[in-house]
Amino acid sequence: MRNVYHPRALAWGEMSAHVEGVLARLAQGREERLRHVEVQPERAAVHADWPSWVDDEVRASYPGITRPWQHQVEAAEIAHAGEHVVLSTGTASGKSLAYALPILTAIHAGASAPNGRGATALYIAPTKALAHDQLRTFTERELPWLRAATVDGDNSTDERRWAQNHANLVLTNPDLLHHSLLGGHERWAPFLKRLRYIVIDEAHIYRGVFGSHVSSVIRRLRRICAHLGCDPVIIAASATVADPAIALERLIGDPVREVTVDGSPRPQRTIALWQPLDISADDATAVHRTATTEAAHLLADLVADGRQTLAFVRSRRGAEGVALLTRDLLREIDPELVESVASYRGGYLPEERRALEQSLRDGRIRALATTNALELGIDISGLDAVVIAGWPGTRASLWQQFGRAGRGDAPALAIFIAREDPLDAFVVEHPSSILDAPVEASVFDPTNPVILGPHLCAAASEIPLTDDDAVRWFGPTSLALLDDLAQQGFLRRRATGWFWTRRERASDLADLRSTGGAPIRIIEEDSGRLLGTIDQASSHSTVHPGAVYTHQGTTSVVTALDLDEAVATVVIEPVDYTTQAHEISDIRVLDVHESRPWGAATINVGQVLVASQVTSFQRRRLITGESLGEQGLDLPVRELVTTGVWWTITDDQCAAASLEVTEIPGAVHAAEHASIALLPLFATCDRWDIGGVSTALHIDTGMTTVFVYDGYPGGAGFSQHGFDIARTWLTATRDLIRDCRCRDGCPSCIQSPKCGNGNNPLDKLAAVRVLTELLRNATD
């Protein structure tokens, strides 16, 4: 049971006095921005007895737990019995205890072996920061026989050698496995041949291209273990997602049992949907303040009110900007609080990240503006509120971020701020689309040949790959791919299997994070100081010449981007604007995989070739978003062979929709923008993971056509999922445009921040008509 209130008639008495006062003060004078409030009641815990097999010393190392929660015990029992298991429950539900119990018990039982490690365990986290946080948690147990170590790119040679020879618990990430541990498995053999358990933490993160890559890494790891004579049990921990067992089976290649009933207590949680948008009743003119600016104002108010708060922001630059503006606002409210505000994001140096995490834990930091780098299970407790500036990508991520507030039994406040974005506007207008809808299923394709091919090369370089091995670990489609790799000169077939033929490392063929090459180093021009890094795929739009780059509150302007040397140089320069790159694209159909008629229209999915180029960037005022002009860029064209979904509509259907010939380009352009914006509501992708092209007459279809494509080589499964649920997706697209309160189109319905044509032409009313006609004969 939950309580839902219209913001203009809030029944404050249903909330805790704590949250009531905070939200009332935040909304004072800006009540129209508070669009929806929902109070979710607290939930009582469901306990279970400690498993009888848990070692007494292990149990004693958790003195604060009299009886575990039921889901912890259920998952631990399954793993201890030797079955793979995924535990999919909410944030702060104690998933770490579920895998710690079998791991620690097995390690202690093996401590009597001559070398002190008769059993070992491997913990895999998607980020280095999370692995270090879990190391701290295990170390706090103060178990003398536990020899735990993180192994990542920050280790010295001596530290890594100690872990190989002595550690019984290694905490690492997929990148280290791929680039180092698997290729050097002979050095790790003493650890791997005793491997009893593999933990895959935050398993819901492994989706899209990253999920496909990690699936191959896990299968390569399990293949090496089988070669060494062991078969470790996999324990996965995940946020609440749809069909977690199916997702993990796809990830690891074997059946999995799931535990999904959450027995942990949950404090009362108040969720507020907030839209920084005022509409003039007489002329429907929209007056906007950006979501990041609104987040900074709310963050400053919450800090001044004594509330420790996280603000989740979509981009690195946005996180820096929110922290900077919050500090400026606090100088006027309470100057003593200025130094308690910081930012946290990827690209910081390791020592910077860990210092920030500790300062947040001990309370010195009262407000932290962060990217999704802090979405994961890093142990940050006692937070009073969370502010989310813009849709975080998936419902699973949204609930992960909501769950950061109110850990323990303290009431929680979570505020979602809608950006000037169609998906955000849809969520605010249709709260049930997130508050009542199930979370998404993880979408990724482990058989994508563009991704699987390099991993087959890596597997063959680790241990010669037989046909039986290939089918067992990588599926039957891998056999034809092995032949292709041999024809290309990567592999050679001999009597004992497939062999890697080259001197370079095979693992370098695969880029797990799909960054498109070595990361770009960002260097301060005057001092030569390394400020951070960014992936190559993002560099064209983020660190192009003239781009604004922010690091720890200090703004710089990019002076040069050298893609060959992977270096961007910047000069420190305080500016009052941000920059936004514009990209243009062209698309050709290479192959149609599936096609479905919708009357005279068709919906299709297949292989496409996309040519794209960042051509210019725009400067906008930091506070108001006012445009300060556009400047051209000279960056190379990039080509991408990927998967796309597209729909066509005939001239007769355009006429039936009362579209003049001159209206068609604006109609389909608007429909393209809105459909791209809404696909992430149905597939586990981000708006920036996909792209689109629309045209009144496409050369390959001969008709009016709208394309949406995956932004990764070979595809990531997003377009295929869009094809599978096309009627639901495009119906929501039509409804979003139709229901938007603007008159002619705005950033909350049909305008796109990444449009290479400057959002021109766009026709809101014509888009509604063309989508209505398209959907007239739609089928599933």
Side-chain angles (χ1 to χ4, degrees), residues 383-420:
L383 297 175
D384 300 298
V386 162
V387 174
I388 302 172
W391 180 252
T394 65
R395 294 186 189 92
S397 292
L398 183 73
W399 287 107
Q400 280 283 94
Q401 293 179 6
F402 279 164
R404 279 295 179 191
R407 288 184 178 235
D409 57 4
L413 173 62
I415 303 174
F416 170 77
I417 304 173
R419 292 175 301 158
E420 298 176 81

CSV table of all heavy atoms in Angstrom, one decimal, residues 383-420:
chain,number,residue,atom,x,y,z
A,383,LEU,N,22.5,8.9,4.8
A,383,LEU,CA,22.1,10.0,3.9
A,383,LEU,C,20.6,10.4,4.1
A,383,LEU,O,19.8,9.5,4.2
A,383,LEU,CB,22.4,9.7,2.5
A,383,LEU,CG,23.9,9.4,2.1
A,383,LEU,CD1,24.0,9.0,0.7
A,383,LEU,CD2,24.7,10.7,2.4
A,384,ASP,N,20.4,11.7,4.2
A,384,ASP,CA,19.0,12.1,4.4
A,384,ASP,C,18.2,12.2,3.1
A,384,ASP,O,17.0,12.1,3.2
A,384,ASP,CB,19.0,13.5,5.1
A,384,ASP,CG,19.7,13.4,6.5
A,384,ASP,OD1,19.3,12.7,7.3
A,384,ASP,OD2,20.8,14.1,6.6
A,385,ALA,N,18.8,12.6,2.0
A,385,ALA,CA,18.1,12.8,0.8
A,385,ALA,C,18.9,12.5,-0.4
A,385,ALA,O,20.2,12.5,-0.4
A,385,ALA,CB,17.6,14.3,0.8
A,386,VAL,N,18.2,12.3,-1.5
A,386,VAL,CA,18.9,12.2,-2.8
A,386,VAL,C,18.1,13.0,-3.8
A,386,VAL,O,16.9,13.1,-3.8
A,386,VAL,CB,18.8,10.7,-3.3
A,386,VAL,CG1,19.0,10.6,-4.8
A,386,VAL,CG2,19.8,9.8,-2.6
A,387,VAL,N,18.9,13.8,-4.6
A,387,VAL,CA,18.3,14.6,-5.7
A,387,VAL,C,18.9,14.0,-7.0
A,387,VAL,O,20.1,13.8,-7.2
A,387,VAL,CB,18.8,16.1,-5.5
A,387,VAL,CG1,18.3,16.9,-6.7
A,387,VAL,CG2,18.2,16.6,-4.2
A,388,ILE,N,18.0,13.7,-7.9
A,388,ILE,CA,18.4,13.1,-9.2
A,388,ILE,C,18.0,14.1,-10.3
A,388,ILE,O,16.9,14.4,-10.6
A,388,ILE,CB,17.6,11.8,-9.4
A,388,ILE,CG1,17.9,10.8,-8.3
A,388,ILE,CG2,18.0,11.1,-10.8
A,388,ILE,CD1,17.1,9.5,-8.3
A,389,ALA,N,19.1,14.6,-11.0
A,389,ALA,CA,18.9,15.6,-12.0
A,389,ALA,C,18.8,14.9,-13.4
A,389,ALA,O,19.8,14.7,-14.0
A,389,ALA,CB,20.0,16.6,-12.0
A,390,GLY,N,17.6,14.5,-13.8
A,390,GLY,CA,17.4,13.9,-15.1
A,390,GLY,C,17.4,12.4,-15.0
A,390,GLY,O,17.9,11.7,-14.1
A,391,TRP,N,16.7,11.8,-16.0
A,391,TRP,CA,16.5,10.4,-16.1
A,391,TRP,C,17.9,9.7,-16.1
A,391,TRP,O,18.7,10.0,-16.9
A,391,TRP,CB,15.7,10.0,-17.3
A,391,TRP,CG,15.5,8.6,-17.5
A,391,TRP,CD1,16.1,7.8,-18.5
A,391,TRP,CD2,14.6,7.7,-16.8
A,391,TRP,NE1,15.6,6.5,-18.4
A,391,TRP,CE2,14.7,6.4,-17.3
A,391,TRP,CE3,13.7,7.9,-15.7
A,391,TRP,CZ2,13.9,5.4,-16.8
A,391,TRP,CZ3,13.0,6.9,-15.2
A,391,TRP,CH2,13.1,5.6,-15.8
A,392,PRO,N,18.1,8.7,-15.2
A,392,PRO,CA,19.4,8.1,-15.1
A,392,PRO,C,19.7,7.0,-16.1
A,392,PRO,O,20.8,6.4,-16.0
A,392,PRO,CB,19.4,7.5,-13.6
A,392,PRO,CG,18.0,7.2,-13.4
A,392,PRO,CD,17.2,8.3,-14.1
A,393,GLY,N,18.8,6.7,-16.9
A,393,GLY,CA,19.1,5.7,-18.0
A,393,GLY,C,18.1,4.5,-17.9
A,393,GLY,O,17.6,4.1,-18.9
A,394,THR,N,17.8,4.0,-16.7
A,394,THR,CA,16.9,2.8,-16.6
A,394,THR,C,16.1,3.0,-15.3
A,394,THR,O,16.5,3.7,-14.4
A,394,THR,CB,17.7,1.5,-16.5
A,394,THR,OG1,18.5,1.5,-15.3
A,394,THR,CG2,18.6,1.3,-17.7
A,395,ARG,N,15.0,2.3,-15.2
A,395,ARG,CA,14.3,2.2,-13.9
A,395,ARG,C,15.1,1.6,-12.8
A,395,ARG,O,15.1,2.0,-11.7
A,395,ARG,CB,13.0,1.4,-14.1
A,395,ARG,CG,11.9,2.1,-15.0
A,395,ARG,CD,10.6,1.3,-15.0
A,395,ARG,NE,9.7,1.7,-16.0
A,395,ARG,CZ,9.6,1.2,-17.2
A,395,ARG,NH1,10.4,0.2,-17.6
A,395,ARG,NH2,8.7,1.6,-18.1
A,396,ALA,N,15.9,0.6,-13.2
A,396,ALA,CA,16.8,0.0,-12.2
A,396,ALA,C,17.7,1.0,-11.6
A,396,ALA,O,17.9,1.0,-10.4
A,396,ALA,CB,17.5,-1.2,-12.8
A,397,SER,N,18.3,1.8,-12.4
A,397,SER,CA,19.2,2.8,-11.9
A,397,SER,C,18.5,3.9,-11.1
A,397,SER,O,19.0,4.3,-10.1
A,397,SER,CB,19.9,3.5,-13.1
A,397,SER,OG,20.8,2.7,-13.8
A,398,LEU,N,17.3,4.2,-11.5
A,398,LEU,CA,16.5,5.2,-10.7
A,398,LEU,C,16.3,4.7,-9.3
A,398,LEU,O,16.5,5.4,-8.3
A,398,LEU,CB,15.2,5.5,-11.4
A,398,LEU,CG,14.3,6.5,-10.8
A,398,LEU,CD1,14.9,7.9,-11.0
A,398,LEU,CD2,12.9,6.4,-11.3
A,399,TRP,N,15.9,3.4,-9.2
A,399,TRP,CA,15.6,2.9,-7.9
A,399,TRP,C,16.9,2.7,-7.1
A,399,TRP,O,16.9,2.8,-5.8
A,399,TRP,CB,14.8,1.6,-8.0
A,399,TRP,CG,13.4,1.8,-8.4
A,399,TRP,CD1,12.8,1.6,-9.6
A,399,TRP,CD2,12.3,2.4,-7.6
A,399,TRP,NE1,11.5,2.0,-9.6
A,399,TRP,CE2,11.2,2.5,-8.4
A,399,TRP,CE3,12.3,2.9,-6.3
A,399,TRP,CZ2,10.0,3.0,-7.9
A,399,TRP,CZ3,11.1,3.5,-5.8
A,399,TRP,CH2,10.0,3.5,-6.6
A,400,GLN,N,18.0,2.3,-7.7
A,400,GLN,CA,19.3,2.3,-7.1
A,400,GLN,C,19.6,3.6,-6.4
A,400,GLN,O,20.1,3.7,-5.3
A,400,GLN,CB,20.4,1.9,-8.1
A,400,GLN,CG,20.4,0.4,-8.4
A,400,GLN,CD,21.1,-0.4,-7.3
A,400,GLN,OE1,20.4,-0.9,-6.4
A,400,GLN,NE2,22.4,-0.4,-7.3
A,401,GLN,N,19.4,4.7,-7.2
A,401,GLN,CA,19.7,6.0,-6.7
A,401,GLN,C,18.7,6.5,-5.6
A,401,GLN,O,19.1,7.1,-4.6
A,401,GLN,CB,19.7,7.0,-7.9
A,401,GLN,CG,20.9,6.7,-8.9
A,401,GLN,CD,20.9,7.7,-10.0
A,401,GLN,OE1,20.2,8.6,-10.1
A,401,GLN,NE2,21.8,7.4,-11.0
A,402,PHE,N,17.4,6.2,-5.8
A,402,PHE,CA,16.5,6.5,-4.8
A,402,PHE,C,16.9,5.8,-3.4
A,402,PHE,O,16.8,6.4,-2.4
A,402,PHE,CB,15.1,6.0,-5.1
A,402,PHE,CG,14.3,6.9,-6.0
A,402,PHE,CD1,13.2,6.4,-6.7
A,402,PHE,CD2,14.6,8.2,-6.2
A,402,PHE,CE1,12.4,7.2,-7.6
A,402,PHE,CE2,13.9,9.0,-7.1
A,402,PHE,CZ,12.8,8.5,-7.8
A,403,GLY,N,17.4,4.6,-3.6
A,403,GLY,CA,17.7,3.8,-2.4
A,403,GLY,C,18.9,4.3,-1.6
A,403,GLY,O,19.2,3.8,-0.5
A,404,ARG,N,19.6,5.2,-2.2
A,404,ARG,CA,20.8,5.8,-1.4
A,404,ARG,C,20.4,6.6,-0.2
A,404,ARG,O,21.2,6.9,0.6
A,404,ARG,CB,21.6,6.7,-2.4
A,404,ARG,CG,22.6,5.9,-3.2
A,404,ARG,CD,23.6,5.2,-2.4
A,404,ARG,NE,24.5,4.4,-3.2
A,404,ARG,CZ,25.3,3.5,-2.6
A,404,ARG,NH1,25.4,3.4,-1.3
A,404,ARG,NH2,26.2,2.8,-3.4
A,405,ALA,N,19.1,7.1,-0.2
A,405,ALA,CA,18.6,7.9,0.9
A,405,ALA,C,17.9,7.0,1.9
A,405,ALA,O,17.3,6.1,1.6
A,405,ALA,CB,17.6,9.0,0.3
A,406,GLY,N,18.1,7.4,3.2
A,406,GLY,CA,17.4,6.8,4.2
A,406,GLY,C,17.8,5.4,4.6
A,406,GLY,O,17.1,4.6,5.1
A,407,ARG,N,19.1,5.1,4.4
A,407,ARG,CA,19.6,3.8,4.9
A,407,ARG,C,19.5,3.8,6.4
A,407,ARG,O,19.6,4.8,7.1
A,407,ARG,CB,21.1,3.7,4.4
A,407,ARG,CG,21.2,3.4,2.9
A,407,ARG,CD,22.7,3.1,2.5
A,407,ARG,NE,22.8,2.9,1.1
A,407,ARG,CZ,23.3,1.8,0.6
A,407,ARG,NH1,23.8,0.9,1.4
A,407,ARG,NH2,23.4,1.6,-0.7
A,408,GLY,N,19.2,2.6,6.9
A,408,GLY,CA,18.9,2.4,8.3
A,408,GLY,C,17.4,2.6,8.4
A,408,GLY,O,16.6,2.3,7.5
A,409,ASP,N,16.9,3.2,9.6
A,409,ASP,CA,15.5,3.3,9.8
A,409,ASP,C,15.0,4.8,9.6
A,409,ASP,O,13.9,5.1,9.9
A,409,ASP,CB,15.1,2.8,11.1
A,409,ASP,CG,15.8,3.4,12.3
A,409,ASP,OD1,16.6,4.4,12.0
A,409,ASP,OD2,15.6,3.0,13.4
A,410,ALA,N,15.9,5.7,9.2
A,410,ALA,CA,15.5,7.1,9.0
A,410,ALA,C,14.7,7.3,7.8
A,410,ALA,O,14.9,6.7,6.7
A,410,ALA,CB,16.8,7.9,8.9
A,411,PRO,N,13.6,8.1,7.9
A,411,PRO,CA,12.8,8.3,6.7
A,411,PRO,C,13.6,8.9,5.6
A,411,PRO,O,14.6,9.7,5.8
A,411,PRO,CB,11.8,9.3,7.2
A,411,PRO,CG,11.7,9.2,8.7
A,411,PRO,CD,13.1,8.8,9.1
A,412,ALA,N,13.2,8.6,4.3
A,412,ALA,CA,14.0,9.0,3.2
A,412,ALA,C,13.3,10.0,2.3
A,412,ALA,O,12.0,9.9,2.2
A,412,ALA,CB,14.4,7.8,2.4
A,413,LEU,N,14.0,10.9,1.7
A,413,LEU,CA,13.4,11.9,0.7
A,413,LEU,C,14.2,11.7,-0.6
A,413,LEU,O,15.4,11.8,-0.6
A,413,LEU,CB,13.5,13.3,1.2
A,413,LEU,CG,13.1,14.4,0.2
A,413,LEU,CD1,11.7,14.2,-0.2
A,413,LEU,CD2,13.4,15.8,0.8
A,414,ALA,N,13.5,11.4,-1.6
A,414,ALA,CA,14.1,11.3,-3.0
A,414,ALA,C,13.4,12.2,-3.9
A,414,ALA,O,12.2,12.1,-4.0
A,414,ALA,CB,14.1,9.9,-3.4
A,415,ILE,N,14.1,13.1,-4.6
A,415,ILE,CA,13.5,14.0,-5.5
A,415,ILE,C,14.1,13.8,-6.9
A,415,ILE,O,15.3,13.8,-7.1
A,415,ILE,CB,13.9,15.5,-5.1
A,415,ILE,CG1,13.4,15.7,-3.7
A,415,ILE,CG2,13.2,16.5,-6.1
A,415,ILE,CD1,13.8,17.1,-3.2
A,416,PHE,N,13.2,13.5,-7.9
A,416,PHE,CA,13.6,13.4,-9.3
A,416,PHE,C,13.3,14.7,-10.0
A,416,PHE,O,12.1,15.2,-10.0
A,416,PHE,CB,12.8,12.2,-10.0
A,416,PHE,CG,13.0,12.2,-11.5
A,416,PHE,CD1,14.2,11.7,-12.0
A,416,PHE,CD2,12.0,12.7,-12.3
A,416,PHE,CE1,14.3,11.7,-13.4
A,416,PHE,CE2,12.1,12.6,-13.7
A,416,PHE,CZ,13.3,12.2,-14.2
A,417,ILE,N,14.3,15.3,-10.6
A,417,ILE,CA,14.1,16.6,-11.3
A,417,ILE,C,14.1,16.3,-12.8
A,417,ILE,O,15.1,15.7,-13.3
A,417,ILE,CB,15.2,17.6,-11.0
A,417,ILE,CG1,15.3,17.8,-9.5
A,417,ILE,CG2,15.0,18.9,-11.7
A,417,ILE,CD1,16.5,18.7,-9.1
A,418,ALA,N,13.0,16.7,-13.5
A,418,ALA,CA,12.9,16.4,-14.9
A,418,ALA,C,13.8,17.4,-15.7
A,418,ALA,O,13.7,18.6,-15.4
A,418,ALA,CB,11.5,16.5,-15.4
A,419,ARG,N,14.6,16.9,-16.6
A,419,ARG,CA,15.3,17.8,-17.5
A,419,ARG,C,14.3,18.3,-18.7
A,419,ARG,O,13.2,17.8,-18.8
A,419,ARG,CB,16.5,17.1,-18.2
A,419,ARG,CG,17.6,16.7,-17.2
A,419,ARG,CD,18.6,15.9,-18.0
A,419,ARG,NE,18.0,14.6,-18.5
A,419,ARG,CZ,18.5,13.9,-19.5
A,419,ARG,NH1,19.5,14.3,-20.1
A,419,ARG,NH2,17.8,12.8,-19.9
A,420,GLU,N,14.8,19.1,-19.5
A,420,GLU,CA,14.1,19.5,-20.7
A,420,GLU,C,14.4,18.4,-21.7
A,420,GLU,O,15.2,18.5,-22.7
A,420,GLU,CB,14.6,20.8,-21.3
A,420,GLU,CG,14.4,22.0,-20.4
A,420,GLU,CD,15.1,23.3,-20.9
A,420,GLU,OE1,14.5,23.9,-21.8
A,420,GLU,OE2,16.2,23.6,-20.5
